[in-house]
Amino acid sequence: MSQFTKFIILPSLLLALLYVSINTATFDITNNYSYTLWAAALSGGGQQLDLGQTWSINVNAGQIKGCIWARTGCNHSGTNGTNCQTGDCGGLLRCLGYGSPPNTLAEYTLNQYMKMDYIDRSVIDGFNIPMSFLLTSNGCTIGPTCTADVNGQCPSVLKAPGGCNNPCTIFKTDEYCCNFKNCDPTDYSKYFKGLCPDAFSYPKDYENTTYTCSGGTNYKVVFCP
Ligand SMILES: *[C@@H]1O[C@H](CO)[C@@H](O)[C@H](O)[C@H]1NC(C)=O
Ligand SMILES: *[C@@H]1O[C@H](CO)[C@@H](O)[C@H](O)[C@H]1NC(C)=O
Ligand SMILES: *[C@@H]1O[C@H](CO)[C@@H](O)[C@H](O)[C@H]1NC(C)=O
Ligand SMILES: *[C@@H]1O[C@H](CO)[C@@H](O)[C@H](O)[C@H]1NC(C)=O
């Protein structure tokens, strides 16, 4: 090996080691739905997931806050190539921004006070498919799951192709969107809460919604658990 090659390899090894040590979490995202889905993550992008496939993303310390969702009914059409019925992100395969409602969200905030991670699931942007968000290491207890038939029983005014909208998306009022310091659950948010008791059903929903885990935990998101 030439001196020059050593000079190149050593710094890249050190960089790789540094990367591993600041890496805080791996998210394994699995499709257990009967159809093909297009998974999306901020940050992370997106990928087509056939039944049984898993997409792993690494989230490093610099990427503290993020979310993961599924897109359904996607066509390879439009100028950006991947147009989806739910969760669409500007027609891109690899999302750079949030998805269009309705879409069930898995949200995380990593490396907070005392190196704790916070995770939750949210139907504040509505619901497209059930998902579970589990912790896979550090001996943490199992996190939220929502497997109820939210779309089947969706109030007709909230029904959307491929999902069930949150009332804020439809009515856009302060009451439903919770544009106040405090706000109360509404009949529609209670519909979601009844079926997904451990998900955010409106922005100020703090009942059984946030799960805490020590940092360095890895996570597993399953669509249609
Ligand atoms: C996908 O293509 C089908 C058939 O052309 C069309 O009916 C449907 O609306 C398309 N979906 C999207 C999200 O573009
Ligand atoms: C295509 O992607 C670009 C960049 O994200 C975005 O600005 C644009 O609105 C997208 N086009 C469509 C038709 O969604
Ligand atoms: C929150 O969790 C507690 C304890 O498990 C339970 O008694 C309560 O019913 C839950 N609240 C909701 C809205 O599900
Ligand atoms: C996938 O779905 C089947 C039911 O269709 C269920 O029995 C199984 O536990 C699910 N797998 C995961 C990893 O959630």
Side-chain angles (χ1 to χ4, degrees), residues 35-60:
Y35 305 97
T36 296
L37 291 171
W38 284 257
L42 277 187
S43 304
Q47 173 173 308
Q48 178 174 328
L49 274 188
D50 296 328
L51 174 61
Q53 279 188 331
T54 296
W55 176 40
S56 293
I57 54 174
N58 289 315
V59 172
N60 62 51

PDB file of all heavy atoms in Angstrom, residues 35-60:
ATOM      1  N   TYR A  35     -50.823  -4.686   0.180  1.00  0.00           N
ATOM      2  CA  TYR A  35     -50.480  -4.032  -1.084  1.00  0.00           C
ATOM      3  C   TYR A  35     -49.120  -3.350  -0.971  1.00  0.00           C
ATOM      4  O   TYR A  35     -48.595  -3.177   0.120  1.00  0.00           O
ATOM      5  CB  TYR A  35     -51.518  -2.960  -1.425  1.00  0.00           C
ATOM      6  CG  TYR A  35     -52.924  -3.467  -1.455  1.00  0.00           C
ATOM      7  CD1 TYR A  35     -53.750  -3.320  -0.337  1.00  0.00           C
ATOM      8  CD2 TYR A  35     -53.421  -4.125  -2.572  1.00  0.00           C
ATOM      9  CE1 TYR A  35     -55.053  -3.797  -0.365  1.00  0.00           C
ATOM     10  CE2 TYR A  35     -54.720  -4.604  -2.603  1.00  0.00           C
ATOM     11  CZ  TYR A  35     -55.532  -4.440  -1.499  1.00  0.00           C
ATOM     12  OH  TYR A  35     -56.814  -4.921  -1.513  1.00  0.00           O
ATOM     13  N   THR A  36     -48.628  -2.928  -2.125  1.00  0.00           N
ATOM     14  CA  THR A  36     -47.397  -2.142  -2.145  1.00  0.00           C
ATOM     15  C   THR A  36     -47.669  -0.782  -1.520  1.00  0.00           C
ATOM     16  O   THR A  36     -48.730  -0.191  -1.731  1.00  0.00           O
ATOM     17  CB  THR A  36     -46.915  -1.985  -3.603  1.00  0.00           C
ATOM     18  OG1 THR A  36     -46.582  -3.285  -4.092  1.00  0.00           O
ATOM     19  CG2 THR A  36     -45.704  -1.087  -3.704  1.00  0.00           C
ATOM     20  N   LEU A  37     -46.706  -0.297  -0.767  1.00  0.00           N
ATOM     21  CA  LEU A  37     -46.782   1.029  -0.160  1.00  0.00           C
ATOM     22  C   LEU A  37     -45.538   1.802  -0.568  1.00  0.00           C
ATOM     23  O   LEU A  37     -44.559   1.217  -1.008  1.00  0.00           O
ATOM     24  CB  LEU A  37     -46.744   0.923   1.363  1.00  0.00           C
ATOM     25  CG  LEU A  37     -47.918   0.315   2.097  1.00  0.00           C
ATOM     26  CD1 LEU A  37     -47.544   0.127   3.556  1.00  0.00           C
ATOM     27  CD2 LEU A  37     -49.115   1.234   1.973  1.00  0.00           C
ATOM     28  N   TRP A  38     -45.600   3.108  -0.367  1.00  0.00           N
ATOM     29  CA  TRP A  38     -44.415   3.923  -0.565  1.00  0.00           C
ATOM     30  C   TRP A  38     -44.140   4.587   0.779  1.00  0.00           C
ATOM     31  O   TRP A  38     -44.910   5.449   1.221  1.00  0.00           O
ATOM     32  CB  TRP A  38     -44.648   4.943  -1.671  1.00  0.00           C
ATOM     33  CG  TRP A  38     -44.584   4.312  -3.030  1.00  0.00           C
ATOM     34  CD1 TRP A  38     -43.545   4.392  -3.913  1.00  0.00           C
ATOM     35  CD2 TRP A  38     -45.584   3.477  -3.666  1.00  0.00           C
ATOM     36  NE1 TRP A  38     -43.835   3.650  -5.044  1.00  0.00           N
ATOM     37  CE2 TRP A  38     -45.066   3.087  -4.918  1.00  0.00           C
ATOM     38  CE3 TRP A  38     -46.844   3.010  -3.286  1.00  0.00           C
ATOM     39  CZ2 TRP A  38     -45.780   2.270  -5.796  1.00  0.00           C
ATOM     40  CZ3 TRP A  38     -47.552   2.193  -4.155  1.00  0.00           C
ATOM     41  CH2 TRP A  38     -47.010   1.839  -5.396  1.00  0.00           C
ATOM     42  N   ALA A  39     -43.081   4.122   1.442  1.00  0.00           N
ATOM     43  CA  ALA A  39     -42.749   4.674   2.758  1.00  0.00           C
ATOM     44  C   ALA A  39     -42.104   6.038   2.563  1.00  0.00           C
ATOM     45  O   ALA A  39     -41.476   6.303   1.524  1.00  0.00           O
ATOM     46  CB  ALA A  39     -41.791   3.740   3.477  1.00  0.00           C
ATOM     47  N   ALA A  40     -42.280   6.919   3.555  1.00  0.00           N
ATOM     48  CA  ALA A  40     -41.685   8.247   3.486  1.00  0.00           C
ATOM     49  C   ALA A  40     -41.156   8.626   4.853  1.00  0.00           C
ATOM     50  O   ALA A  40     -41.716   8.214   5.879  1.00  0.00           O
ATOM     51  CB  ALA A  40     -42.723   9.265   3.024  1.00  0.00           C
ATOM     52  N   ALA A  41     -40.064   9.381   4.856  1.00  0.00           N
ATOM     53  CA  ALA A  41     -39.481   9.802   6.127  1.00  0.00           C
ATOM     54  C   ALA A  41     -38.813  11.154   5.970  1.00  0.00           C
ATOM     55  O   ALA A  41     -38.183  11.436   4.953  1.00  0.00           O
ATOM     56  CB  ALA A  41     -38.453   8.771   6.592  1.00  0.00           C
ATOM     57  N   LEU A  42     -38.982  11.977   6.992  1.00  0.00           N
ATOM     58  CA  LEU A  42     -38.285  13.268   7.071  1.00  0.00           C
ATOM     59  C   LEU A  42     -37.427  13.239   8.318  1.00  0.00           C
ATOM     60  O   LEU A  42     -37.981  13.136   9.405  1.00  0.00           O
ATOM     61  CB  LEU A  42     -39.285  14.417   7.213  1.00  0.00           C
ATOM     62  CG  LEU A  42     -39.930  14.972   5.946  1.00  0.00           C
ATOM     63  CD1 LEU A  42     -40.749  16.201   6.292  1.00  0.00           C
ATOM     64  CD2 LEU A  42     -38.919  15.286   4.871  1.00  0.00           C
ATOM     65  N   SER A  43     -36.137  13.224   8.278  1.00  0.00           N
ATOM     66  CA  SER A  43     -35.376  13.088   7.054  1.00  0.00           C
ATOM     67  C   SER A  43     -35.247  11.607   6.691  1.00  0.00           C
ATOM     68  O   SER A  43     -35.384  10.754   7.541  1.00  0.00           O
ATOM     69  CB  SER A  43     -33.972  13.660   7.257  1.00  0.00           C
ATOM     70  OG  SER A  43     -34.051  14.982   7.684  1.00  0.00           O
ATOM     71  N   GLY A  44     -34.914  11.347   5.454  1.00  0.00           N
ATOM     72  CA  GLY A  44     -34.748   9.964   5.024  1.00  0.00           C
ATOM     73  C   GLY A  44     -35.173   9.792   3.579  1.00  0.00           C
ATOM     74  O   GLY A  44     -34.589   9.016   2.852  1.00  0.00           O
ATOM     75  N   GLY A  45     -36.236  10.534   3.177  1.00  0.00           N
ATOM     76  CA  GLY A  45     -36.669  10.462   1.786  1.00  0.00           C
ATOM     77  C   GLY A  45     -37.861   9.560   1.603  1.00  0.00           C
ATOM     78  O   GLY A  45     -38.923   9.798   2.172  1.00  0.00           O
ATOM     79  N   GLY A  46     -37.667   8.508   0.834  1.00  0.00           N
ATOM     80  CA  GLY A  46     -38.787   7.612   0.584  1.00  0.00           C
ATOM     81  C   GLY A  46     -38.381   6.465  -0.293  1.00  0.00           C
ATOM     82  O   GLY A  46     -37.348   6.514  -0.965  1.00  0.00           O
ATOM     83  N   GLN A  47     -39.209   5.441  -0.274  1.00  0.00           N
ATOM     84  CA  GLN A  47     -38.905   4.232  -1.034  1.00  0.00           C
ATOM     85  C   GLN A  47     -40.157   3.390  -1.206  1.00  0.00           C
ATOM     86  O   GLN A  47     -41.007   3.365  -0.315  1.00  0.00           O
ATOM     87  CB  GLN A  47     -37.852   3.440  -0.258  1.00  0.00           C
ATOM     88  CG  GLN A  47     -37.552   2.086  -0.833  1.00  0.00           C
ATOM     89  CD  GLN A  47     -36.394   1.418  -0.141  1.00  0.00           C
ATOM     90  OE1 GLN A  47     -35.313   1.996  -0.004  1.00  0.00           O
ATOM     91  NE2 GLN A  47     -36.602   0.205   0.312  1.00  0.00           N
ATOM     92  N   GLN A  48     -40.246   2.715  -2.335  1.00  0.00           N
ATOM     93  CA  GLN A  48     -41.338   1.754  -2.532  1.00  0.00           C
ATOM     94  C   GLN A  48     -41.089   0.549  -1.627  1.00  0.00           C
ATOM     95  O   GLN A  48     -39.957   0.088  -1.505  1.00  0.00           O
ATOM     96  CB  GLN A  48     -41.373   1.317  -3.994  1.00  0.00           C
ATOM     97  CG  GLN A  48     -42.451   0.267  -4.266  1.00  0.00           C
ATOM     98  CD  GLN A  48     -42.575  -0.068  -5.747  1.00  0.00           C
ATOM     99  OE1 GLN A  48     -42.350   0.784  -6.605  1.00  0.00           O
ATOM    100  NE2 GLN A  48     -42.940  -1.295  -6.044  1.00  0.00           N
ATOM    101  N   LEU A  49     -42.152   0.062  -0.988  1.00  0.00           N
ATOM    102  CA  LEU A  49     -42.021  -1.118  -0.113  1.00  0.00           C
ATOM    103  C   LEU A  49     -43.076  -2.133  -0.498  1.00  0.00           C
ATOM    104  O   LEU A  49     -44.264  -1.909  -0.290  1.00  0.00           O
ATOM    105  CB  LEU A  49     -42.258  -0.723   1.349  1.00  0.00           C
ATOM    106  CG  LEU A  49     -41.118  -0.201   2.210  1.00  0.00           C
ATOM    107  CD1 LEU A  49     -41.584  -0.072   3.654  1.00  0.00           C
ATOM    108  CD2 LEU A  49     -39.898  -1.113   2.133  1.00  0.00           C
ATOM    109  N   ASP A  50     -42.655  -3.254  -1.042  1.00  0.00           N
ATOM    110  CA  ASP A  50     -43.597  -4.337  -1.325  1.00  0.00           C
ATOM    111  C   ASP A  50     -43.880  -5.078  -0.027  1.00  0.00           C
ATOM    112  O   ASP A  50     -43.165  -4.901   0.966  1.00  0.00           O
ATOM    113  CB  ASP A  50     -43.013  -5.273  -2.389  1.00  0.00           C
ATOM    114  CG  ASP A  50     -42.833  -4.564  -3.726  1.00  0.00           C
ATOM    115  OD1 ASP A  50     -43.641  -3.660  -4.014  1.00  0.00           O
ATOM    116  OD2 ASP A  50     -41.884  -4.893  -4.454  1.00  0.00           O
ATOM    117  N   LEU A  51     -44.919  -5.895  -0.054  1.00  0.00           N
ATOM    118  CA  LEU A  51     -45.301  -6.659   1.137  1.00  0.00           C
ATOM    119  C   LEU A  51     -44.093  -7.417   1.689  1.00  0.00           C
ATOM    120  O   LEU A  51     -43.404  -8.101   0.942  1.00  0.00           O
ATOM    121  CB  LEU A  51     -46.429  -7.635   0.787  1.00  0.00           C
ATOM    122  CG  LEU A  51     -46.854  -8.608   1.892  1.00  0.00           C
ATOM    123  CD1 LEU A  51     -47.377  -7.867   3.106  1.00  0.00           C
ATOM    124  CD2 LEU A  51     -47.910  -9.571   1.373  1.00  0.00           C
ATOM    125  N   GLY A  52     -43.836  -7.253   2.974  1.00  0.00           N
ATOM    126  CA  GLY A  52     -42.753  -7.971   3.631  1.00  0.00           C
ATOM    127  C   GLY A  52     -41.399  -7.283   3.557  1.00  0.00           C
ATOM    128  O   GLY A  52     -40.468  -7.685   4.238  1.00  0.00           O
ATOM    129  N   GLN A  53     -41.289  -6.245   2.746  1.00  0.00           N
ATOM    130  CA  GLN A  53     -39.993  -5.565   2.638  1.00  0.00           C
ATOM    131  C   GLN A  53     -39.766  -4.602   3.801  1.00  0.00           C
ATOM    132  O   GLN A  53     -40.721  -4.046   4.350  1.00  0.00           O
ATOM    133  CB  GLN A  53     -39.920  -4.769   1.332  1.00  0.00           C
ATOM    134  CG  GLN A  53     -39.577  -5.613   0.122  1.00  0.00           C
ATOM    135  CD  GLN A  53     -39.334  -4.770  -1.115  1.00  0.00           C
ATOM    136  OE1 GLN A  53     -39.899  -3.685  -1.270  1.00  0.00           O
ATOM    137  NE2 GLN A  53     -38.501  -5.275  -2.003  1.00  0.00           N
ATOM    138  N   THR A  54     -38.496  -4.404   4.126  1.00  0.00           N
ATOM    139  CA  THR A  54     -38.114  -3.474   5.189  1.00  0.00           C
ATOM    140  C   THR A  54     -37.126  -2.461   4.632  1.00  0.00           C
ATOM    141  O   THR A  54     -36.222  -2.811   3.875  1.00  0.00           O
ATOM    142  CB  THR A  54     -37.474  -4.236   6.374  1.00  0.00           C
ATOM    143  OG1 THR A  54     -38.459  -5.098   6.940  1.00  0.00           O
ATOM    144  CG2 THR A  54     -36.975  -3.289   7.452  1.00  0.00           C
ATOM    145  N   TRP A  55     -37.331  -1.226   5.018  1.00  0.00           N
ATOM    146  CA  TRP A  55     -36.423  -0.128   4.654  1.00  0.00           C
ATOM    147  C   TRP A  55     -35.802   0.372   5.951  1.00  0.00           C
ATOM    148  O   TRP A  55     -36.538   0.686   6.893  1.00  0.00           O
ATOM    149  CB  TRP A  55     -37.235   0.972   3.969  1.00  0.00           C
ATOM    150  CG  TRP A  55     -36.493   2.224   3.614  1.00  0.00           C
ATOM    151  CD1 TRP A  55     -35.235   2.323   3.111  1.00  0.00           C
ATOM    152  CD2 TRP A  55     -37.001   3.568   3.710  1.00  0.00           C
ATOM    153  NE1 TRP A  55     -34.933   3.645   2.883  1.00  0.00           N
ATOM    154  CE2 TRP A  55     -35.988   4.412   3.242  1.00  0.00           C
ATOM    155  CE3 TRP A  55     -38.209   4.125   4.142  1.00  0.00           C
ATOM    156  CZ2 TRP A  55     -36.143   5.804   3.201  1.00  0.00           C
ATOM    157  CZ3 TRP A  55     -38.363   5.494   4.097  1.00  0.00           C
ATOM    158  CH2 TRP A  55     -37.343   6.332   3.625  1.00  0.00           C
ATOM    159  N   SER A  56     -34.465   0.387   6.023  1.00  0.00           N
ATOM    160  CA  SER A  56     -33.798   0.851   7.246  1.00  0.00           C
ATOM    161  C   SER A  56     -33.209   2.225   7.021  1.00  0.00           C
ATOM    162  O   SER A  56     -32.519   2.439   6.020  1.00  0.00           O
ATOM    163  CB  SER A  56     -32.672  -0.102   7.634  1.00  0.00           C
ATOM    164  OG  SER A  56     -33.217  -1.335   8.007  1.00  0.00           O
ATOM    165  N   ILE A  57     -33.483   3.123   7.945  1.00  0.00           N
ATOM    166  CA  ILE A  57     -32.850   4.436   7.854  1.00  0.00           C
ATOM    167  C   ILE A  57     -32.092   4.717   9.142  1.00  0.00           C
ATOM    168  O   ILE A  57     -32.522   4.331  10.227  1.00  0.00           O
ATOM    169  CB  ILE A  57     -33.849   5.580   7.541  1.00  0.00           C
ATOM    170  CG1 ILE A  57     -35.012   5.602   8.522  1.00  0.00           C
ATOM    171  CG2 ILE A  57     -34.370   5.500   6.119  1.00  0.00           C
ATOM    172  CD1 ILE A  57     -35.943   6.805   8.316  1.00  0.00           C
ATOM    173  N   ASN A  58     -30.955   5.363   8.983  1.00  0.00           N
ATOM    174  CA  ASN A  58     -30.162   5.760  10.146  1.00  0.00           C
ATOM    175  C   ASN A  58     -30.391   7.226  10.407  1.00  0.00           C
ATOM    176  O   ASN A  58     -30.334   8.040   9.494  1.00  0.00           O
ATOM    177  CB  ASN A  58     -28.676   5.532   9.877  1.00  0.00           C
ATOM    178  CG  ASN A  58     -28.349   4.066   9.859  1.00  0.00           C
ATOM    179  OD1 ASN A  58     -28.791   3.319  10.736  1.00  0.00           O
ATOM    180  ND2 ASN A  58     -27.605   3.646   8.854  1.00  0.00           N
ATOM    181  N   VAL A  59     -30.668   7.540  11.654  1.00  0.00           N
ATOM    182  CA  VAL A  59     -30.887   8.930  12.016  1.00  0.00           C
ATOM    183  C   VAL A  59     -29.732   9.325  12.917  1.00  0.00           C
ATOM    184  O   VAL A  59     -29.477   8.683  13.927  1.00  0.00           O
ATOM    185  CB  VAL A  59     -32.234   9.083  12.741  1.00  0.00           C
ATOM    186  CG1 VAL A  59     -32.399  10.469  13.285  1.00  0.00           C
ATOM    187  CG2 VAL A  59     -33.373   8.757  11.778  1.00  0.00           C
ATOM    188  N   ASN A  60     -28.978  10.337  12.525  1.00  0.00           N
ATOM    189  CA  ASN A  60     -27.836  10.735  13.350  1.00  0.00           C
ATOM    190  C   ASN A  60     -28.189  11.896  14.270  1.00  0.00           C
ATOM    191  O   ASN A  60     -29.271  12.474  14.173  1.00  0.00           O
ATOM    192  CB  ASN A  60     -26.614  11.028  12.473  1.00  0.00           C
ATOM    193  CG  ASN A  60     -26.857  12.168  11.521  1.00  0.00           C
ATOM    194  OD1 ASN A  60     -27.288  13.234  11.936  1.00  0.00           O
ATOM    195  ND2 ASN A  60     -26.602  11.951  10.251  1.00  0.00           N
TER     196      ASN A  60
END
